[in-house]
Each structure stands twice: as C-alpha cells, then as structure tokens.
Amino acid sequence: RGVSAGMATLNRREAEAAQRRMEEKEKDKARQELTERVLKLKEATMQVYTMVTDGVFNMKNFVWYIQDAQTGIAFGRKVQVLKTDIAEMTPVATPFMTEQQIKPVVVSNEIEPHQQDQDPGIIALQKTLVLVLDNVSILAGALVQGINNSDDVQVLVGLFKHLKTLLTHVQECSADTIQQQL
C-alpha cells in the first residue's frame, strides 16, 4: 500500500513537471510570435517614416514656389490638418523626443533682402508653412524613436497608427505640391 501511495505522489510530481514544461513551451512560443510581430512593425515603420520625410521635403520645396495668395491659402488649409495632427500627437511623441522639440509656430515680420518685392502675406505664409513642416518631421522622428525603443505591442501599434495618419495627411498635401511643380 505504501508503495502505491509513493508511486501516486511520484506520478503526480512528474505530471506537474510535464505541465510546467508545456506551459514554458507555450510562453516561449508566444514570446517568439510577439518578437516577430514587433520586428515586422518596426520594419514597416521605417518605410512609413521614409515616405513621411520624402513628402515633407517635397512640400518644403513647394512652399517657396508659392507666389499666389489663393494657392497659398488653399495649401495652407491642408497644412492646417497637419497642425491638428501635431497638437494631438505631441503628448504621445514627447517622451521619445531627443534634442529636437516641437517649435512654436510664431512668424517674425523680418523681410530678407531677396524678398523685398514679394507680398508680405505670402512671405508670412511661407514661413508658417515651413515651421509646421519642420514640426511634422520632428514629430515623425519622435514616433519612430518610440517604435524603435519599445517592445510593447500595444504601444507600438498606437505609435504606428499615428505615423500612418501623419503619412496620409502628408500625402494629401504632397499631391498638391507635385501638381504645382510640374
């Protein structure tokens, strides 16, 4: 009788050990899948980031072509959407901002010598747009930093969504800039 009771204890211990091994395997598998998802997200992010920065670069070039107030105002309206993005996303991106911070969009009234014959309204508009676009690239950079420094899928997905939204709005503005430059 004592022998069979001993055997039962042994079997129970082995069963528990086997159960623990199974659970560890499951955890490892989940960890592996998570790591793969994180890496895929990070890879996708770099592509989105490149597209955002290219788009911003095109837009900044375009800004200096604006000679006409109507064109400027129409473009400015689209850029206004980016201003809203900056306001909404800054709190999320701030922890990941390195040396560059979002700049206040305050435009000086100084006119450079080569701008003497230009409309002051257009000059102010150009300066404003450039500041907004600078902020877009700082914000995009911070979102990418966040994604590179996080392994928490929830955080990653949130940051990635912001970056994609930013890309969509940059592309909407860029569509105009390409039309104008042709």
Side-chain angles (χ1 to χ4, degrees):
R1 198 168 228 181
V3 171
S4 63
M7 287 299 286
T9 305
L10 198 64
N11 286 343
R12 195 173 64 246
R13 279 198 196 126
E14 272 180 15
E16 283 168 3
Q19 180 69 29
R20 272 195 303 278
R21 280 195 299 277
M22 282 288 291
E23 284 167 7
E24 275 305 310
K25 259 190 184 158
E26 286 296 307
K27 272 187 201 159
D28 281 347
K29 193 178 168 202
R31 217 174 281 127
Q32 182 74 34
E33 281 172 7
L34 208 62
T35 306
E36 281 169 19
R37 279 181 65 194
V38 165
L39 290 173
K40 275 189 184 140
L41 251 177
K42 287 184 178 182
E43 206 175 293
T45 305
M46 283 320 293
Q47 291 168 351
V48 174
Y49 178 59
T50 304
M51 288 155 86
V52 171
T53 45
D54 287 352
V56 167
F57 181 74
N58 287 339
M59 286 152 68
K60 277 181 90 165
N61 280 349
F62 166 64
V63 166
W64 300 110
Y65 284 95
I66 295 174
Q67 301 300 329
D68 164 53
Q70 288 317 106
T71 307
I73 288 163
F75 185 62
R77 276 203 200 100
K78 289 200 171 169
V79 175
Q80 194 63 43
V81 175
L82 290 174
K83 271 174 97 170
T84 306
D85 285 345
I86 292 164
E88 285 173 1
M89 296 177 197
T90 299
V92 183
T94 299
F96 307 108
M97 279 180 195
T98 45
E99 65 286 338
Q100 286 189 298
Q101 298 294 317
I102 297 291
K103 306 166 188 170
V105 182
V106 179
V107 176
S108 74
N109 291 329
E110 285 172 41
I111 292 181
E112 321 244 328
H114 69 276
Q115 296 175 319
Q116 285 301 328
D117 54 350
Q118 281 187 301
D119 177 335
I122 287 178
I123 295 168
L125 183 72
Q126 287 171 331
K127 287 180 177 177
T128 305
L129 295 177
V130 167
L131 275 170
V132 171
L133 296 175
D134 280 342
N135 282 339
V136 169
S137 35
I138 292 167
L139 181 64
L143 291 171
V144 171
Q145 277 296 322
I147 289 171
N148 283 339
N149 295 327
S150 178
D151 287 328
D152 177 337
V153 174
Q154 290 316 104
V155 172
L156 270 170
V157 168
L159 294 171
F160 187 62
K161 274 188 186 154
H162 280 313
L163 198 56
K164 292 266 292 200
T165 301
L166 204 56
L167 173 64
T168 303
H169 296 158
V170 165
Q171 282 174 328
E172 285 166 8
C173 290
S174 286
D176 280 7
T177 72
I178 290 155
Q179 290 303 305
Q180 295 293 327
Q181 285 175 31
L182 293 176

